[in-house]
């Protein structure tokens, strides 16, 4: 795949140092580490390999990737592996795409309370789905959920929401049969919305009472219990949005959709259009508009672009992909096997493991003849290889871990 003409790394390398100097004291250590990783990605600073074609002897240098989960160009392989793992669990039933979104007011305080409020978003949305699905008035079954957190909108503004993959049905309480959903219908979104609102507000009140929330600037007054109670009371009067789309063309379609975002943060390099000394222009999508008019462009001052990107740096160790119900890690394999037996399905074929032996041909083919490439030299971070490429330098990723 061709390298995009403009990358986030180019913006950080050209303007990151000046931005850090102008904002010193206001940038977290995690954000600084992300910037450093992206700036160093696929450069000599991280070392690399020299690969040679077994057929035509074409030689090229491949610098190592940073593998940071916020880097726009490092997570393609991880996303493909994730999709392959989920494909092995797919069932021949409709799959629904459900989205739970936090109101703007809560999203504003989530920025300084990412771990707590993002966790509450995950648990409240999953609890909502599991509770309504288990109700005999709706489905009366235990469902499985794969949830993915997004904290951004198309313009990279802070917009926390959870995307879910939900199969159209679940196991009966006694595990004796598969209970399917109604055709083209998952669960009633208004019912989901009301329960989600109640659960989320209850959990927020408990977190505040336990002293687990912090408030700064314009929200500092919410540290007071009465002020926070009034804040929550106003949110009880507004409608919270839960979005459920009719089944995708097939299970793999929704997986392909989500796999583009599971291992990416804020913006992809392919959305970037132009960069000058003052601004960055990129593609955006207005989801409120249907048709071609929803696609347009946006230009931001470079400092604002960097600030928005770093807004979405996740807390260290935070998991933004989670499984619930019959997809929970503790019982996923056993439950999926039971469902396959109920549906009279053959067991899935185990995915082949990738080769990691440097003496074996790599997956990336020779750009000249399509032959197999093998690693003939590795060099450490900050060093240059002894062998030189036989063509103009090409920086590709060769991951042998």
């Amino acid at each position: 795949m061709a390298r995009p003409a403009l990358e986030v790394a180019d913006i950080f390398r050209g303007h990151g140092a000046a931005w850090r100097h102008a904002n010193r004291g206001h940038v977290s250590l995690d954000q600084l580490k992300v910037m450093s990783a992206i700036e160093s990605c696929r450069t000599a600073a991280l070392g690399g390999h020299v690969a040679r074609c077994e057929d035509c002897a074409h030689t090229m240098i491949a610098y190592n990737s940073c593998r940071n989960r916020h880097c726009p160009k490092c997570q393609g392989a991880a996303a493909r592996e994730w999709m392959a793992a989920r494909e092995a669990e797919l069932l021949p039933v409709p799959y629904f795409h459900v989205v739970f979104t936090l109101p703007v007011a809560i999203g504003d305080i989530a920025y300084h309370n990412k771990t707590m409020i993002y966790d509450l978003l995950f648990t409240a949305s999953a609890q909502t789905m599991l509770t309504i699905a288990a109700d005999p008035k709706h489905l009366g079954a235990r469902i499985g959920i794969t949830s993915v957190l997004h904290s951004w909108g198309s313009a990279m503004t802070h917009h926390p929401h959870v995307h879910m993959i939900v199969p159209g049905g679940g196991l009966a309480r006694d595990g004796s049969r598969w209970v399917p959903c109604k055709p083209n219908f998952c669960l009633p979104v208004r019912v989901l919305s009301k329960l989600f609102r109640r659960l989320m507000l209850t959990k927020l009140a408990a977190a505040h009472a336990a002293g687990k929330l912090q408030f700064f600037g314009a929200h500092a007054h919410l540290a007071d219990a009465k002020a926070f109670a009034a804040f929550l009371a106003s949110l009880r009067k507004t409608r919270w949005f839960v979005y459920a789309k009719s089944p995708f063309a097939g299970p793999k379609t929704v997986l392909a959709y989500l796999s583009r975002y599971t291992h990416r943060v804020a913006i992809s390099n392919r959305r970037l259009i132009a960069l000058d000394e003052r601004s960055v222009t990129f593609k955006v999508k207005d989801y409120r508009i249907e048709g071609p008019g929803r696609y347009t462009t946006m230009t931001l001052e470079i400092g604002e672009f960097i600030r928005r990107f770093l807004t979405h740096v996740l807390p260290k160790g935070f998991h933004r992909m989670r499984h619930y119900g019959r997809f929970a890690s503790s019982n996923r394999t056993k439950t999926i096997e039971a469902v396959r037996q109920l549906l009279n399905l053959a067991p899935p074929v185990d995915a082949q493991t990738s080769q990691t032996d440097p003496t074996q041909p790599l997956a990336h083919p020779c750009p000249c003849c399509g032959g197999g490439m093998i690693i003939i030299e590795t060099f450490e971070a900050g060093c240059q290889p002894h062998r030189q490429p036989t063509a103009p330098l090409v920086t590709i990723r060769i991951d042998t871990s």
Side-chain angles (χ1 to χ4, degrees):
M1 184 177 293
R3 178 185 184 274
L6 178 62
E7 298 182 345
V8 171
D10 299 323
I11 300 170
F12 281 6
R13 289 167 189 154
H15 304 273
W19 186 87
R20 286 190 290 269
H21 178 76
N23 293 275
R24 62 183 182 275
H26 300 282
V27 188
S28 72
L29 179 60
D30 287 340
Q31 290 173 329
L32 291 173
K33 288 181 177 179
V34 168
M35 291 190 74
S36 177
I38 293 175
E39 290 169 356
S40 300
C41 187
R42 320 264 178 114
T43 69
L46 298 181
H49 316 80
V50 179
R52 184 176 63 201
C53 176
E54 291 185 301
D55 296 332
C56 70
H58 173 75
T59 304
M60 66 171 66
I61 295 176
Y63 292 126
N64 291 336
S65 59
C66 66
R67 302 183 190 176
N68 189 287
R69 62 175 171 168
H70 301 90
C71 178
K73 61 184 176 183
C74 270
Q75 298 303 310
R80 289 190 293 273
E81 291 172 4
W82 179 86
M83 184 174 175
R86 300 288 78 75
E87 281 184 333
E89 302 168 352
L90 291 177
L91 301 171
V93 300
Y95 276 73
F96 294 85
H97 180 197
V98 184
V99 183
F100 286 80
T101 302
L102 288 179
V104 173
I106 297 180
D108 289 343
I109 64 174
Y111 178 73
H112 293 291
N113 298 275
K114 289 182 178 179
T115 299
M116 176 55 62
I117 293 184
Y118 290 173
D119 269 332
L120 295 184
L121 171 58
F122 265 121
T123 56
S125 58
Q127 187 177 344
T128 296
M129 290 293 293
L130 294 172
T131 300
I132 300 303
D135 189 337
K137 293 188 299 183
H138 299 293
L139 184 63
R142 182 168 177 78
I143 61 173
I145 303 169
T146 295
S147 297
V148 181
L149 172 72
H150 285 190
S151 62
W152 63 91
S154 184
M156 293 198 300
T157 51
H158 193 222
H159 177 59
H161 55 288
V162 161
H163 292 260
M164 291 181 173
I165 299 174
V166 185
L171 279 176
R173 291 185 178 181
D174 60 4
S176 63
R177 62 191 178 91
W178 173 261
V179 182
C181 287
K182 296 178 181 179
N184 297 323
F185 181 79
C186 183
L187 295 169
V189 292
R190 288 188 177 272
V191 176
L192 294 172
S193 175
K194 291 180 180 179
L195 180 56
F196 174 57
R197 177 179 61 189
R198 177 165 63 83
L199 290 175
M200 192 70 195
L201 293 178
T202 300
K203 293 176 184 296
L204 283 169
H208 188 279
K212 296 181 179 180
L213 298 177
Q214 296 180 310
F215 304 95
F216 302 91
H219 300 103
H221 68 286
L222 294 178
D224 177 75
K226 291 184 178 180
F228 193 71
F231 170 76
L232 295 183
S234 66
L235 292 172
R236 290 189 178 93
K237 302 175 183 178
T238 61
R239 181 182 174 187
W240 290 35
F241 290 95
V242 176
Y243 172 81
K245 188 174 181 179
S246 57
F248 279 71
K252 292 185 179 181
T253 306
V254 68
L255 282 181
Y257 171 83
L258 277 184
S259 70
R260 296 197 299 267
Y261 302 101
T262 51
H263 295 76
R264 185 175 296 158
V265 172
I267 192 170
S268 68
N269 285 327
R270 298 193 179 278
R271 286 177 54 200
L272 301 177
I273 297 175
L275 170 68
D276 58 33
E277 290 302 314
R278 294 186 177 182
S279 62
V280 183
T281 301
F282 56 97
K283 301 174 186 176
V284 295
K285 182 190 297 183
D286 189 338
Y287 291 92
R288 298 169 296 180
I289 301 175
E290 293 294 336
R294 74 189 321 191
Y295 299 95
T296 183
T297 62
M298 174 176 287
T299 299
L300 292 177
E301 186 268 330
I302 289 175
E304 175 61 10
F305 178 92
I306 295 175
R307 185 198 70 80
R308 290 193 188 189
F309 183 93
L310 295 178
T311 294
H312 308 291
V313 171
L314 294 169
K316 184 177 180 180
F318 187 89
H319 296 280
R320 57 186 299 260
M321 290 178 286
R322 305 185 184 186
H323 306 281
Y324 297 95
R326 66 177 184 85
F327 284 170
S329 298
S330 59
N331 63 358
R332 181 164 63 234
T333 302
K334 182 179 179 180
T335 305
I336 290 177
E337 181 181 350
V339 172
R340 286 185 171 276
Q341 291 177 356
L342 290 174
L343 297 176
N344 296 317
L345 300 176
V349 179
D350 292 336
Q352 294 183 351
T353 56
S354 59
Q355 295 185 5
T356 58
D357 183 355
T359 64
Q360 297 298 316
L362 299 169
H364 188 88
C366 174
C368 297
C369 69
M373 302 289 291
I374 61 171
I375 294 175
I376 59 174
E377 179 188 349
T378 61
F379 52 97
E380 299 297 324
C383 300
Q384 290 291 345
H386 298 296
R387 296 175 176 84
Q388 296 302 310
T390 56
L393 184 66
V394 178
T395 56
I396 61 172
R397 180 185 184 189
I398 297 180
D399 190 350
T400 60
S401 63

